[in-house]
Amino acid sequence: MISGHGVRDRAGNRARIRVNVRTTIDPGRNVLAVGVIGCGYGAENLHLPAMRSLPSVRVVAIADSDPERLRLVGDRFAIDRRYHDYEALLRDAEIDAVAVCVPPGAHAAITLAVLDAHKHVLVEKPLCLDLDGADRLVERARRASVTAMVGFNLRYHRHVRAARQAIAQGRLGPVELVRTVWSSQVRQQAGLPEWRRRRDLGGGVLNEMAVHHLDLWRFLLGSEVDEIFASSRTETSDDQTATLTGRLRNGALALSGFSQRAAEAHEIEIYGRQGRLLASPYRFDGFELGPAATFPGDLTSRARGLLRTVRALPGMISSVRQGGSFLQSYRDEWQHFTGCVLRGIPPDSTFDDGRRALELVLAAIDSARSGHPVDVSRLRRPDEPAESSA
Ligand SMILES: NC(=O)c1ccc[n+]([C@@H]2O[C@H](COP(=O)([O-])OP(=O)(O)OC[C@H]3O[C@@H](n4cnc5c(N)ncnc54)[C@H](O)[C@@H]3O)[C@@H](O)[C@H]2O)c1
């Protein structure tokens, strides 16, 4: 097993190059045998449909402590090997990789057990709920020499990829402002698990939704976040709605709003000195790039928008068939993960990224409690590089 950390690439950039070579994956293999731990909402509606659509993934076993969920999900996806105890799944020698889809409070213990069993792992966000747990996971993943990825599915969304590329190519010029909104009606749903109502168990918009967009601030702009200010509204459950502002090291300012009790919306806007872009993860034609000098809504912009929609129509049909643009991000996430495992290369969303996003969520929680901006540097590990590795 080879593991080289912090290597520089040919252009001299600091790259998170980690060569993961795992002897149990034969070089000729092109299908990964996956086990899923936790068969709740996310596994049933997002991960398993995405995995089922990929020829490079075969789900061979599932585990859940709730026998009813195990039966329901096992029957729906025709998975015969079912374990009440996740440790029994980890002893299953056929399994190469594990998806950890349990509530956030159980991420750390179960993911550590997966790493100890020398299986590749994709753990849902947030990586875990505290920095000590995150540090243990980062260290253990480094030593285990397996592919260890955090499920920041939005990083794999095609509009987000296009946005990142446009920013990296300098098409917006230096970015001044980021504005994002993610809103859903999930709090109105009956039968929501208790953990989703409680901040200390990983529920609420800061833990569940803001963690994604805080990760995107870093991922899209390639810069770390130095300061966070947050306001949160708690009525029937913790953090049902929240706003965040942030100051990034490259000078850009960011503001984001999240709600689990408002109309459905998902928008990411980036404003640079030479252009602006909109990435809208729920819309099949939701990527717009415009020069700084044009006004949104003028005749040229409207004509371009119409043309874009017409051009995107054929793609819409296959997108709808696959569950829409958002579900496709899980498919792309799994494709990325399997590619990384089979080729022994590091994923785009590492446990280090998971720790960084957790620092930002904890800073936001602290700010929402105190009413003051929080300097994120005091939550960083002393050995964490100052420059962004996103
Ligand atoms: N990427 C996204 O946008 C996204 C979307 C949904 C959920 N998630 C994440 O996925 C995770 C799960 O969320 P969910 O909505 O599916 O939760 P859920 O409560 O619906 O399901 C969790 C399942 O885990 C099982 N479980 C709990 N402890 C267990 C244990 N020790 N061993 C085995 N099974 C156990 C429960 O019985 C339940 O069936 C969370 O971390 C959540 O944040 C992410």
Side-chain angles (χ1 to χ4, degrees):
M1 284 181 284
I2 311 162
S3 178
H5 210 74
V7 183
R8 284 180 186 272
D9 67 16
R10 263 189 248 162
N13 300 314
R14 193 179 60 77
R16 289 164 304 138
I17 296 172
R18 249 190 89 183
V19 185
N20 292 315
V21 177
R22 180 147 178 263
T23 46
T24 53
I25 306 279
D26 300 330
R29 284 268 301 282
N30 55 10
V31 179
L32 209 61
V34 175
V36 176
I37 302 179
C39 299
Y41 170 83
E44 183 182 6
N45 298 293
L46 306 169
H47 291 285
L48 284 163
M51 283 191 262
R52 185 166 59 174
S53 71
L54 284 174
S56 56
V57 177
R58 197 163 56 89
V59 181
V60 295
I62 52 174
D64 200 296
S65 47
D66 177 347
E68 186 49 25
R69 292 301 304 169
L70 203 54
R71 188 192 60 73
L72 198 140
V73 171
D75 289 355
R76 178 171 166 199
F77 292 91
I79 301 162
D80 294 332
R81 255 136 75 193
R82 305 173 188 183
Y83 300 101
H84 296 286
D85 173 7
Y86 74 85
E87 290 184 340
L89 180 144
L90 295 179
R91 287 192 292 274
D92 188 327
E94 197 195 340
I95 293 173
D96 303 307
V98 173
V100 177
C101 300
V102 293
H107 284 189
I110 293 182
T111 306
L112 286 171
V114 177
L115 292 169
D116 286 348
H118 302 289
K119 313 259 189 215
H120 304 277
V121 62
L122 191 162
V123 55
E124 258 299 354
K125 44 50 61 173
L127 176 61
C128 58
L129 294 177
D130 64 277
L131 294 175
D132 285 347
D135 286 343
R136 271 199 300 280
L137 285 163
V138 167
E139 276 317 303
R140 201 77 65 89
R142 273 182 197 158
R143 279 192 277 123
S145 280
V146 292
T147 300
M149 178 164 140
V150 180
F152 286 129
N153 64 295
L154 285 175
R155 282 191 177 214
Y156 305 95
H157 193 293
R158 62 198 167 92
H159 297 332
V160 171
R161 304 298 280 197
R164 188 174 193 242
Q165 192 180 21
I167 294 165
Q169 288 168 344
R171 294 177 70 186
L172 304 188
V175 171
E176 281 285 313
L177 180 66
V178 176
R179 182 172 76 158
T180 78
V181 171
W182 194 0
S183 167
S184 89
Q185 303 210 294
V186 74
R187 286 280 166 263
Q188 261 94 304
Q189 288 168 12
L192 214 58
E194 177 60 14
W195 71 264
R196 296 195 74 174
R197 299 184 184 282
R198 285 181 44 190
R199 184 194 269 176
D200 62 332
L201 298 180
V205 295
L206 294 175
N207 286 309
E208 292 185 62
M209 297 165 97
V211 67
H212 277 294
H213 281 206
L214 289 166
D215 178 61
L216 288 188
W217 290 3
R218 300 181 60 239
F219 183 62
L220 288 171
L221 271 60
S223 178
E224 293 303 341
V225 182
D226 283 337
E227 188 184 86
I228 295 268
F229 177 73
S231 298
S232 164
R233 178 174 186 200
T234 290
E235 209 179 53
T236 52
S237 56
D238 290 349
D239 300 325
Q240 68 194 39
T241 299
T243 56
L244 296 183
T245 58
R247 183 180 289 278
L248 280 86
R249 188 157 312 151
N250 67 1
L253 299 180
L255 66 151
S256 293
F258 307 94
S259 182
Q260 293 182 330
R261 282 199 83 183
E264 298 289 339
H266 202 167
E267 307 289 321
I268 297 158
E269 292 165 275
I270 317 274
Y271 299 92
R273 290 186 202 150
Q274 287 154 34
R276 63 174 171 274
L277 72 76
L278 165 70
S280 186
Y282 288 162
R283 288 196 287 129
F284 74 96
D285 60 344
F287 181 77
E288 294 172 30
L289 189 61
T294 58
F295 285 89
D298 68 11
L299 262 183
T300 319
S301 306
R302 278 174 197 268
R304 278 211 193 104
L306 201 61
L307 196 64
R308 203 175 39 248
T309 305
V310 171
R311 284 206 186 114
L313 275 175
M316 182 186 77
I317 296 163
S318 76
S319 166
V320 167
R321 273 206 201 110
Q322 292 173 41
S325 290
F326 195 70
L327 190 59
Q328 256 178 285
S329 68
Y330 289 89
R331 193 173 186 271
D332 293 342
E333 175 181 67
W334 274 100
Q335 194 139 35
H336 179 79
F337 178 74
T338 52
C340 289
V341 173
L342 294 170
R343 285 183 275 130
I345 55 173
D348 272 354
S349 46
T350 62
F351 280 16
D352 290 284
D353 295 311
R355 200 228 194 246
R356 293 276 190 173
L358 177 64
E359 290 164 13
L360 302 179
V361 170
L362 293 175
I365 288 173
D366 192 5
S367 172
R369 265 197 209 114
S370 69
H372 298 293
V374 170
D375 173 1
V376 180
S377 66
R378 64 185 180 76
L379 299 171
R380 295 215 169 102
R381 266 198 341 253
D383 62 332
E384 244 171 354
E387 288 302 311
S388 175
S389 56

